[in-house]
Amino acid sequence: MISQALRDQIEQIAQRYPQRPSALMPALDLAQRLSHGYIPPEDLTAIGEILGLSTAEVFGVWTYYSMYNKVPVGKYHLQIDCNIPALLMGADEILAHLEEILQIKVGQTTPDGLFTLSKVQDLGSCGSCPIIQVNDRYYENMTVEKVDQLIASLRNGIMPDWKNESYFYSDCHALLRRRGKENSTSIDTYLADGGYQALEKALGASPQQVIDQVKESFLRGLGGAGFPTGTKWGFLPKQNHQPVYLICNADEGEPGTFKDRQIMEYDPHLLLEGMAISAFAIGAHLAFIYIRGEFAWIADILERAINEAYAKNKLGKNILGKGFDLDIIVHRGAGAYVCGEETALIESLEGKRGDPRLKPPFPAAKGLYNRPTIVNNVETLSSVPYIIANGPSAYKQFGSSNNYGFKIFGVSGHVHKPGVYEFAMGTPLKKILDAAGGVKGALKAVIVGGLSVPILTAQEAGGLNMDFDGCLQKDTMLGSGGIIVINHDTSIPLLTLRTIRFYAHESCGQCTPCREGSWAIEKLLEKILARQGCRKDIDQVLWLCQTIKGSTLCPTGDAFALPISAMIRKFRGEFDALVTN
């Protein structure tokens, strides 16, 4: 039975959204927190009644997202990231040590109810693995010794406040300009650095002039697709009398990717200024930041920054006296990789399961609440203030034709200094790896755009320039710019199995090729790695990848078909060595 206080809080949340069902995920999150990590199923009906939803609709959402616990958990819920970067950086050893000292297996709770141990697929902390998430708090760069200290502290009822350190470097002083600066999240720090001057300049122009500048800069989407941002904005209906919405896609769930978090965590006002300028350009008066639910502390940072911006009249009514109004809502996801796809994100924001929509229509015509909507990535929106403040020509001083601007590259895996590195588009991969301290051991392979792009052998990676065209010339993609470095001590078949386990777990289940195909590939690879397979099984995996490619509603099918087939084709000998003829 939910309390009256919780009912009142859910009602307050619902009133912030244009449509009440959008408050469902915030309501479930709040209810779970107040119920010590678990929502009794009988409370789902009451939550639905407040929001005008059936129990079935609420149950469908509750069971879809992985962050909603379906059974009670311990006081401290320990979640271990075991994805590819974590595997390369020692997560399996940390997990085994936890099982030993807690005397439980994954999925179990200690008899005293103190600890629950879980494996998760990706926590957006690829440069600081191994990582343990304890309830809402991240403990990064973990070692066996640190694990022992953490567990001892938790047994004493103390959640230690450990500072998470990671490497960073900026060659462009744009997106990471304030990284490392004291009080970097404060609006006063941002204003002292010239912050919000670009917004004032934009509000002194017309929306079309702002769009024209972004088009001239040839800013491309930096979330993975690389589509020209100004062109995307131009797809909005011309004679439109409906509300227009702007959504910032901060659901950073691609393994190997941890760039957007750097902006939100250390320079939130840069993102807010970019959103305000972009909203003005497209005529939006309500915008959303859809942030992955695991980033709870970053969502809090964004909320504080938004409140500061309201207080300084950078958001809200009549911004800077220019007659433009804008509100921004931070909306927390709940654990679903597929919600990084824009239509799945929109479905989720509407209070539904994150199932991708059939396109067309595209969101610019019919998006959130069936209204014109623009969805842009954190890094993309955060690049807009530089363009408006300095002009398109200044932005195009970085990079080269068709690949202008600057980019944050997240480097993880077998390097001495995993972290984030900001360089101009087209920077040689070798220069980025050198900045990251160089490769630990001999380079065997590299994944340059997040886990969903085809792997490159060390020989193929030679001479690679990191931009859209340079990667295409090597038959891979720039993607999110998440660089995963793999040395010669690594088993590619094991990496392949971990890869498909991620996608099989994250498939929304809507498309048969993705749902059934990912499961079939996983079972075949398990058979091969158990040395119970034959060469026909390897060929069957390749056939499945080829069949699945291009046959799903969203890019998730391609996201595993392309890398899995590349891993097998380029390292076929390692697979053949595991099977009989």
Side-chain angles (χ1 to χ4, degrees), residues 382-453:
S382 299
S383 299
V384 171
Y386 186 95
I387 294 167
I388 301 303
N390 300 284
S393 58
Y395 181 78
K396 292 166 87 170
Q397 291 298 308
F398 299 96
S400 59
S401 179
N402 204 44
N403 299 276
Y404 295 114
F406 30 74
K407 172 125 189 73
I408 301 175
F409 298 95
V411 185
S412 63
H414 294 137
V415 290
H416 291 283
K417 293 181 178 181
V420 288
Y421 298 87
E422 182 183 17
F423 283 98
M425 282 284 195
T427 297
L429 173 64
K430 184 181 184 305
K431 183 175 180 179
I432 298 172
L433 297 186
D434 287 344
V439 180
K440 286 183 179 179
L443 181 65
K444 181 177 187 176
V446 62
I447 300 168
V448 298
L451 189 58
S452 61
V453 310

Side-chain angles (χ1 to χ4, degrees), residues 129 271 280 307 380 400 482 512 518 546:
C129 295
L271 172 60
F280 171 72
N307 289 336
T380 308
S400 59
T512 301
S518 60
Q546 184 61 35

